[in-house]
Amino acid sequence: METVIEQHAAEAVRSIQNFVGGQWSIPSAAESLPVTNPATGAVLARVPLSKAPDVDVAVQAAYAAFPAWRATPPVERGRILFAVRDRMEAHFNELAHLVTEEHGKTLDDARGSVRRAIENVEVAAGIPSLMMGYGLEDGAARGIDEEVIRQPLGVFAAICPFNFPIMVPFWFWPYAIATGNTFIVKPSEQVPLAMTRVFELLEDVGFPPGVLNLVHGSRETVEALIDHPLVRGVSFVGSTPVAKAVYARAAARGKRVQAQGGAKNVLVIMPDAVLDKTIANVIGSCFGSAGQRCLAGSLIITVGDVHERFVAALRDAAKALRVGNGLEEGTDVGPVISERARERISGSIARGVEEGAHLVLDGRENPVAGGCFLGPTIFEGVRPDMAVAREEIFGPVVGIVHVENLGEALAVIAASPYGNAASIFTQDGAAARTFRYHAPVGNVGINVGVAAPMAYFPFSGAKESFFGTLHAQGRDAIDFYCERKVVITRWF
Ligand code: NAD
């Protein structure tokens, strides 16, 4: 079968479609945007920007599918997820390739992200156990039993960012569907192709029409989803200003909402850190995926006398990284997502220089022709009040702040508006415990550069990196997508 995406290649550039009520459909949208390969600039397809009437069709389809899907026994819903897993495995390399093509990250990174997506399906497939309630005989009084049951709520939607085209939607939809809800995925308009292919692969996997829907678009589409009275809740991942706006808009309409925002993740290097292993971790954290991970290290704090040794080793290792097309073997750092992003990140580098930080390595001097490339960039002599230390840059740029002790390092982390992740590199258990105890972030790494929670743990986040209480993945996701109903029973 010729895929939707292959048709685009064959017929120059065609617009991709929504998948609603079990059918591919062309949204009424007059507007569309090009989807480009950031490594080459080639236009891969056009993505339609769905409007409120398109959203309404999708929500109505999901709403209509809800009663029968809810009544499908969890064990049967889980069985379909086993089929999803098999389908994804069978197309694993194809999906990773698509992720690299539209996003730019290396094939290794893309494979890792598809693996994480599959792991979420594997966890959600255990839904009969995950969704169970609990009860207590004579729990209310003698002869009166009390129990909790989990029930799905109806239609949910996920609004996704560009940096993980497949993985982030899979933090949400498998759990929502497994619990008996119906769902709408809204991928990032910058990377809609990989999820479109996933939907093609899942077309005949066993979901009744309307259970799982795909709607393309941008801000207007998102607002229509949040505003739709039949949508019970939204899961969001993206930048902090948009996370805040989505949270406020959904909450004002009485909806459930979990909104994961931006980040400025700190890596603390203690004097006793094992240098070679620490450098390898820090390089992966700061420059992997060209720094476009929400868990990317973007501020390093060196503590005490490790500073000189660390900076020299980091510069040498970063210099050795190969910048290029993520599809090519041997590439370490792919392009950033767009020319606009490249200009924005270059602007942040220029601002760091103006603020007086010292450029140890300037990624603007490492241009690779033809795409949105920027090399690894390192600033030394950064003060915590500089923009380069405070603001999310979301590119291969890292600043280094030097302090005398762990307390000062923790104070820098505490002063940040963000709270996604922080890591410490040390062999000292007491220092690690102090760090874990006090670091005001959702995800902590101890000698781990990218503290990415597995599917059966919540993908945490704090402060302006997360708005809500229940996180993505695992048991948090089950609770987010379910009502906990209490039943108290007495028989006369
Ligand atoms: P973004 O905020 O620009 O877009 C995210 C989504 O929101 C997209 O689907 C987009 O169409 C939609 N959107 C954009 N503007 C909107 C508006 N004004 N109103 C409603 N919807 C709008 O984010 P991005 O650039 O695609 O992704 C990168 C950001 O995501 C970074 O800040 C990164 O840190 C963050 N991120 C966070 C996590 C996490 O777990 N905390 C994970 C991945 C990415």
Side-chain angles (χ1 to χ4, degrees):
M1 184 189 78
E2 191 182 31
T3 70
V4 172
I5 293 155
E6 283 162 358
Q7 283 164 20
H8 299 139
E11 297 175 31
V13 172
R14 254 177 48 181
S15 194
I16 54 172
Q17 299 187 6
N18 291 345
F19 186 77
V20 168
Q23 308 274 339
W24 291 97
S25 59
I26 301 169
S28 63
E31 284 171 81
S32 65
L33 293 174
V35 183
T36 55
N37 176 338
T40 63
V43 176
L44 302 169
R46 291 194 73 84
V47 59
L49 304 182
S50 304
K51 296 188 174 299
D54 307 306
V55 167
D56 180 54
V57 174
V59 176
Q60 297 292 351
Y63 186 70
F66 175 59
W69 183 242
R70 179 202 165 171
T72 304
V75 68
E76 289 178 31
R77 297 198 297 251
R79 241 171 240 144
I80 303 180
L81 289 173
F82 281 106
V84 170
R85 200 266 311 256
D86 291 350
R87 199 61 64 87
M88 300 276 296
E89 288 289 1
H91 293 265
F92 185 84
N93 284 322
E94 178 199 350
L95 291 172
H97 194 280
L98 275 173
V99 167
T100 295
E101 205 173 32
E102 66 177 346
H103 175 279
K105 65 181 73 184
T106 63
L107 267 180
D108 259 2
D109 266 345
R111 284 190 202 104
S113 72
V114 177
R115 177 58 54 211
R116 292 248 161 180
I118 293 173
E119 285 163 2
N120 276 284
V121 176
E122 289 167 341
V123 172
I127 196 62
S129 308
L130 284 171
M131 203 177 165
M132 273 180 196
Y134 48 92
L136 190 62
E137 259 185 354
D138 302 312
R142 194 177 292 269
I144 305 179
D145 305 330
E146 185 157 346
E147 67 194 301
V148 165
I149 51 176
R150 287 197 177 81
Q151 295 189 330
L153 290 149
V155 182
F156 280 86
I159 297 139
C160 305
F162 81 80
N163 64 328
F164 284 98
I166 291 182
M167 183 185 81
V168 167
F170 277 74
W171 284 353
F172 304 112
W173 78 258
Y175 302 97
I177 295 291
T179 46
N181 296 282
T182 54
F183 209 77
I184 298 168
V185 175
K186 205 296 283 173
S188 163
E189 63 276 30
Q190 297 189 85
V191 293
L193 304 183
M195 265 319 274
T196 301
R197 181 63 184 139
V198 167
F199 269 75
E200 287 181 351
L201 295 175
L202 302 188
E203 222 177 306
D204 61 351
V205 88
F207 292 123
V211 167
L212 184 58
N213 306 277
L214 175 73
V215 171
H216 294 293
S218 57
R219 177 179 184 161
E220 193 180 338
T221 322
V222 172
E223 292 179 347
L225 278 167
I226 297 171
D227 293 352
H228 200 294
L230 295 178
V231 171
R232 295 298 308 270
V234 292
S235 302
F236 173 89
V237 181
S239 59
T240 288
V242 182
K244 239 183 209 174
V246 163
Y247 185 73
R249 195 177 183 107
R253 284 153 185 76
K255 314 252 167 138
R256 287 193 175 201
V257 53
Q258 47 180 190
Q260 303 188 208
K264 187 79 186 175
N265 305 308
V266 179
L267 309 176
V268 176
I269 318 298
M270 296 299 285
D272 65 347
V274 179
L275 204 60
D276 56 338
K277 294 199 166 67
T278 298
I279 292 290
N281 265 272
V282 170
I283 287 282
S285 176
C286 300
F287 305 124
S289 257
Q292 299 173 115
R293 288 194 196 116
C294 60
L295 294 174
S298 57
L299 185 67
I300 294 170
I301 304 182
T302 52
V303 178
D305 67 7
V306 75
H307 182 78
E308 313 269 295
R309 275 179 291 141
F310 175 81
V311 174
L314 184 69
R315 183 197 53 223
D316 292 349
K319 250 185 176 168
L321 295 175
R322 205 178 125 198
V323 180
N325 189 327
L327 288 177
E328 284 164 17
E329 204 61 46
T331 296
D332 299 302
V333 182
V336 295
I337 186 66
S338 63
E339 192 48 33
R340 214 174 76 193
R342 203 183 67 80
E343 282 166 14
R344 181 182 50 73
I345 299 162
S346 298
S348 297
I349 298 172
R351 178 137 181 236
V353 173
E354 275 164 33
E355 286 181 309
H358 168 60
L359 259 181
V360 176
L361 191 62
D362 187 350
R364 296 170 302 180
E365 290 169 0
N366 188 359
V368 178
C372 314
F373 294 103
L374 262 175
T377 299
I378 303 172
F379 278 109
E380 202 192 355
V382 173
R383 287 192 320 271
D385 62 322
M386 291 178 177
V388 74
R390 283 184 295 108
E391 292 173 9
E392 180 175 44
I393 297 174
F394 220 55
V397 180
V398 67
I400 306 176
V401 171
H402 178 59
V403 300
E404 289 309 323
N405 55 54
L406 180 56
E408 284 178 58
L410 282 163
V412 174
I413 300 172
S416 170
Y418 295 106
N420 215 35
S423 297
I424 187 169
F425 291 86
T426 185
Q427 292 299 96
D428 178 344
R433 186 180 188 277
T434 299
F435 187 79
R436 169 179 133 146
Y437 195 91
H438 290 290
V441 299
N443 305 290
V444 168
I446 296 173
N447 296 311
V448 170
V450 181
M454 296 294 285
Y456 27 87
F457 285 101
F459 197 103
S460 195
K463 292 157 82 178
E464 299 230 326
S465 296
F466 180 71
F467 303 93
T469 47
L470 293 168
H471 298 271
Q473 299 194 147
R475 287 185 225 159
D476 266 34
I478 302 296
D479 281 339
F480 182 72
Y481 295 120
C482 288
E483 191 63 86
R484 271 166 291 178
K485 185 183 274 184
V486 177
V487 183
I488 302 173
T489 307
R490 166 162 58 195
W491 293 101
F492 297 115

